[in-house]
Every structure is written in C-alpha cells, then in structure tokens.
Amino acid sequence: MAPSAMTRWTTSLSEAQPVPYWLDDPGRPHPEPALTGAETCDLLVVGGGYSGLWTALIAKERDPLRDVVLLEGREAGWAASGRNGGFCAASLTHGLANGVARWPDEIHKLQELGARNLDEIEKAVARHSLDCDFERTGEIDVATETYQAFELRDWYEETVRRGLAEDTEFLDAEAVREQVDSPTFVAGLYDRRGVALVHPAKLAWGLKRACLRLGVRIYEHTPALTLKPYGAGMAVRTPYGRVRARRVALGTNIFPNLVKRVRSYTVPVYDYALMTEPLSPDRLASIGWSRRQGLGDSANQFHYFRLSADNRILWGGYDAIYSYGGRVRAEYDDRPETYAKLAEHFFGCFPQLERVRFTHAWGGAIDTCSRFSAFFGTAYRERVAYAAGYTGLGVGATRFGAEVMLDLLAGERTERTELEMVRKKPLPFPPEPFAWTGIALTKWSLARADAHGGRRNLWLKTMDRLGLGFDS
C-alpha cells in the first residue's frame, strides 16, 4: 500500500464517528421503562429487533384481544436491526442460488412466499404509516471480473430455464454502467422488484410505535435471564421482575438463546460499513445511479452499497470477522483496519468521488448459521418457538419468521410450517477450536478463490458437498 494512497484513504476517515449512521438520529424514540414486578400475558416476545417486533405486531393483527408483552434487553432496534445496510429483500433463502441448492423442490413456493412477504411489508409500511424511507428500487448484482460476468450470465440463463427469472435482466458492461457508472463494473444482474431499500433503524422504531398503538406492552432495558415451565405456560425472569405467559416467542437471534440447545446453531460474524457525507448533485451525476438501486458485487468477499434518502453512499461488507469463542462484545463493533480497507475499495470503485469524506463507520454482529438462512423450532411442548440464523438478510425475512413462529405456537399446519426449510435445521457448528479453525480456513479459501478466477479449492468443494460454508 503506497503511503500517498494510505494518506488519502485515512484522510477520508478522519472525521468519521464510530457509531451507526442510522442510529445517530435526533428522532430516535425514548426507551420504554424497564419491567419492575410481575406481569402475565398470553404471548411473551423476547427481543426488540425486527424478529420480535414483527411477531408482536402480527400477533395483535391476527387477534386484537391477545395480550402481548415484549422484552428488550437494551433498546428496540439498537443491534443488527439498526446497523444493517437496509436491503429489504424478498428472498427467504439468502439469495436464489442458495435456495435452489438447498431446496430445489420447494424453490418456486419459497420464491412465491418471499415475494408475498415483501408485498406485505410494503402494505404494513403504508397501513401503519411507518416513516422508514421505503423505496422499491430493486438490486443489481454486479460483476467486477470477467469470470464473474460469465457466471452471472450462466446463472441468469439457468433461472430462465427454471422459470425463476421474472423481473430480472442480465446487463452487459455498457448496460450496467448506464445504471451506475463504475470503471470496475463489467456486467450485472438486475432484480427489478425483489428488493426494497429502507432506513433500518426507522423501520424498527416505526414497528415499535405500531406495536404500542395496538396495545403491546413493551419493556426496554429488560433482559430475559431465564426461561422455565410454569404450570401450563412459561415463566421468564428479568433483573427486576418476571413474566408468566401461555406462549413465548424468542427473537434474540445472535444473542444467547434461552433454549440452550439452540445456541450451537449460530455464530456471531462481525460486519462493517461506512457512510459518506451527502453527495452534491454534481458528484451524484458523475456516477449516475438515478434509479437508486441497491448494489452488491459478485465476489465471495463481497461489498454491498446503496444511497440513503439524503444521497449518502453506504459502503459495507467484504470483511467478515469471527472471533475465537464466538463472543458478542461491544469492542468488536469498531475496527479501524477494516474501515481503511473499505475506504480503499470504495475509491477503487468510484474514483470520481476521490475527495468525498466518510461521516460514520461502524460494525455489528450477524447471526450466521451453516445454511445461511433462517431456521425454526419449538421447545417445552410447543409452548416456546424460536427463529434465528438469518445471516445478514433478515430485514425482510424476519417478518416471514414471525409468521412461522406464530403458526408453530398455535399448533397450525400452514403452507409455511409444511416447508422443509421450516421442518429441518442446519448442521450445528462444532465446539472450539474446531469452529474457529474451520471458519478461518474457509475465509482464506474464499479470498484465494476471488484472487484466482473463482476457482474453488478442495476445502471449499468439500464444504459445498456437506452443505456447509461461510458467507458474510
């Protein structure tokens, strides 16, 4: 790395605040009081991110008389739900390719349910007046290497043969650069309807307000400490009180699950992002991007990037950091060496924006499972349901997961609960040191594949055969 280049990149970061841009908002709602004393309810929801908030909201919409309590250990939306890129995708399977590989016989149904789920999110945004900058922009997967362009075209042709290419279009180099002008783009696959962009924290805060309006009792700064059977229901202990509930839905995702046997199915992988200052009209015109699509590149170690409502560029991804022992710690939210790397990559993609500064830089933990998409289950004789493992694509899929949990708690057989994806779980991660060693070897192999024309080594081929892997 040349000293002059390093100076340029680090200068762009000199005023960046180490806090999530989305959460750095004067409109952030005040937290609800903590629980003190005893509560009883029909349904207790644990977790105040998207998973828990959608569960509480849909539970009240299904049955307005149902008594619902939600517990959040910090503040609603403060973790992954307020730190992500704001890509609200229809995919329930962490992308179509992952879904085809794992559930080929169900993929048309999964695509249908995912599209319906995204439509329902859009309707909920309107119905509950959720002020979250919702834009149905679509997304372009871009190729930055010739081999990636061939892979994108081959994949597009396969989706056409399978009848899965609705509202998608392959773009050659000229066509993709007409959409967004980067000298690194050599092809693209444009999904016109399957992705919306949102302000992720505002979505969480809007869901919280909607829940309160419908009568959900929300207690923040109230971690759930233990979960035990109590008569015909369950009891949850908190620092200053307890809740007795007929049914419990767990939406804690990366944080330790109250059903201990579930914990081995996820590991925390830290992801990082930068946010630029607002672009002037001239700077924005220099890169085009008039249709405001979400973008992601096609490497194994990929970047995702998008425009905010005030025309900042969020630039994230590439590094996916797993720390030995799988711990979730606040100090992992900040990683200057990754910020410098992301800044270098940003200016390589958009040299037109050489003097742009970054205002925010942050990280957060993703609940990663070995199949990259959510898994579901019940415990305590179906009095408790859980969903986890969204692996970074949970902005939209958590609403579907909320419906699955409510179906399971009701004991209902639905088109959702009959899915193999819902009935079966991924392989759990092994204990240390095997988890760290396996993830490190996989990351090294993915980086090597990116540097060698996408060629996968024996380790990656073995992981593919076992249905395992690693993805940011």
Side-chain angles (χ1 to χ4, degrees):
M1 184 181 298
S4 60
M6 171 59 97
T7 301
R8 181 169 72 252
W9 300 327
T10 53
T11 297
S12 71
L13 291 161
S14 63
E15 299 175 11
Q17 302 176 60
V19 296
Y21 167 76
W22 310 114
L23 296 174
D24 186 22
D25 190 307
R28 183 174 182 166
H30 293 293
E32 295 298 301
L35 173 64
T36 57
E39 272 277 19
T40 61
C41 59
D42 297 321
L43 173 67
L44 171 63
V45 179
V46 180
Y50 297 140
S51 188
L53 291 166
W54 279 119
T55 302
L57 182 66
I58 295 170
K60 290 295 285 187
E61 289 182 327
R62 288 187 180 186
D63 180 1
L65 298 180
R66 180 161 20 192
D67 189 21
V68 180
V69 168
L70 184 148
L71 303 180
E72 163 54 41
R74 292 278 292 272
E75 295 180 21
W78 78 275
S81 297
R83 297 166 186 262
N84 62 80
F87 287 69
C88 187
S91 176
L92 306 175
T93 60
H94 205 275
L96 179 56
N98 191 50
V100 168
R102 298 181 188 280
W103 302 287
D105 296 335
E106 292 185 342
I107 192 61
H108 285 87
K109 172 57 70 173
L110 288 165
Q111 288 292 99
E112 175 194 335
L113 289 170
R116 193 189 311 167
N117 184 64
L118 182 55
D119 288 342
E120 289 299 323
I121 291 173
E122 186 168 14
K123 291 175 184 177
V125 167
R127 183 167 65 252
H128 295 289
S129 301
L130 305 181
D131 178 18
C132 62
D133 302 334
F134 186 96
E135 300 179 87
R136 194 80 175 254
T137 60
E139 180 180 16
I140 304 176
D141 291 331
V142 296
T144 57
E145 300 284 350
T146 301
Y147 79 88
Q148 295 171 8
F150 287 127
E151 289 176 349
L152 278 185
R153 181 179 285 279
D154 289 346
W155 173 242
Y156 174 67
E157 291 173 352
E158 181 176 345
T159 61
V160 170
R161 288 194 299 271
R162 290 176 176 268
L164 295 167
E166 185 178 2
D167 293 322
T168 62
E169 176 185 1
F170 179 80
L171 307 174
D172 62 17
E174 181 180 359
V176 73
R177 291 187 65 174
E178 285 178 356
Q179 298 293 326
V180 185
D181 189 13
S182 166
T184 67
F185 295 173
V186 296
L189 191 59
Y190 188 3
D191 179 353
R192 295 181 178 275
R193 290 286 300 165
V195 177
L197 297 180
V198 299
H199 184 304
K202 285 185 176 179
L203 175 59
W205 299 336
L207 290 171
K208 172 186 167 180
R209 294 186 183 103
C211 285
L212 290 169
R213 283 196 297 269
L214 293 184
V216 176
R217 301 195 300 288
I218 296 177
Y219 297 98
E220 294 179 274
H221 294 288
T222 304
L225 303 178
T226 62
L227 173 69
K228 294 181 179 180
Y230 186 88
M234 301 298 298
V236 168
R237 182 172 60 86
T238 71
Y240 308 120
R242 67 181 182 186
V243 183
R244 296 174 183 168
R246 293 180 59 249
R247 297 290 183 267
V248 177
L250 301 177
T252 51
N253 294 308
I254 197 51
F255 297 98
N257 199 290
L258 292 175
V259 179
K260 292 183 179 180
R261 60 182 164 82
V262 178
R263 295 179 184 179
S264 63
Y265 288 97
T266 61
V267 294
V269 173
Y270 276 78
D271 182 54
Y272 298 89
L274 306 176
M275 184 69 94
T276 72
E277 63 191 336
L279 300 188
S280 67
D282 288 344
R283 280 175 166 169
L284 188 58
S286 74
I287 58 173
W289 215 344
S290 60
R291 295 185 182 179
R292 303 178 55 81
Q293 307 96 326
L295 297 172
D297 63 48
S298 301
N300 291 304
Q301 292 183 287
F302 65 91
H303 305 89
Y304 55 88
F305 39 119
R306 53 138 324 164
L307 290 169
S308 65
D310 59 350
N311 290 329
R312 300 168 183 263
I313 296 178
L314 178 142
W315 179 266
Y318 191 79
D319 270 349
I321 306 300
Y322 173 77
S323 296
Y324 187 91
R327 298 178 180 88
V328 179
R329 291 182 172 174
E331 56 262 38
Y332 297 159
D333 291 345
D334 189 37
R335 199 167 193 268
E337 59 266 45
T338 292
Y339 303 151
K341 190 182 298 181
L342 286 173
E344 173 190 356
H345 298 170
F346 175 86
F347 292 116
C349 182
F350 293 123
Q352 311 96 307
L353 303 179
E354 182 177 1
R355 292 182 175 81
V356 164
R357 297 290 190 110
F358 297 101
T359 61
H360 296 76
W362 71 95
I366 294 172
D367 63 324
T368 301
C369 75
S370 62
R371 73 183 190 193
F372 310 145
S373 52
F375 63 90
F376 314 89
T378 60
Y380 296 101
R381 299 181 180 178
E382 300 186 344
R383 288 177 284 183
V384 176
Y386 55 83
Y390 291 95
T391 317
L393 213 63
V395 180
T398 44
R399 185 194 173 279
F400 174 82
E403 295 218 85
V404 170
M405 284 195 285
L406 291 170
D407 289 350
L408 293 172
L409 290 174
E412 295 176 352
R413 294 182 60 179
T414 68
E415 60 182 346
R416 290 179 288 267
T417 62
E418 292 297 294
L419 292 168
E420 182 183 354
M421 176 188 177
V422 171
R423 292 184 289 106
K424 295 184 179 180
K425 292 185 177 58
L427 290 172
F429 288 94
E432 299 294 11
F434 304 107
W436 186 89
T437 302
I439 291 172
L441 182 55
T442 301
K443 284 188 61 183
W444 177 83
S445 299
L446 289 171
R448 184 175 175 83
D450 284 340
H452 292 83
R455 292 188 293 275
R456 299 173 77 80
N457 63 16
L458 180 60
W459 176 260
L460 292 180
K461 290 177 181 177
T462 301
M463 293 297 99
D464 291 341
R465 286 194 295 271
L466 294 174
L468 295 167
F470 186 73
D471 197 346
S472 60

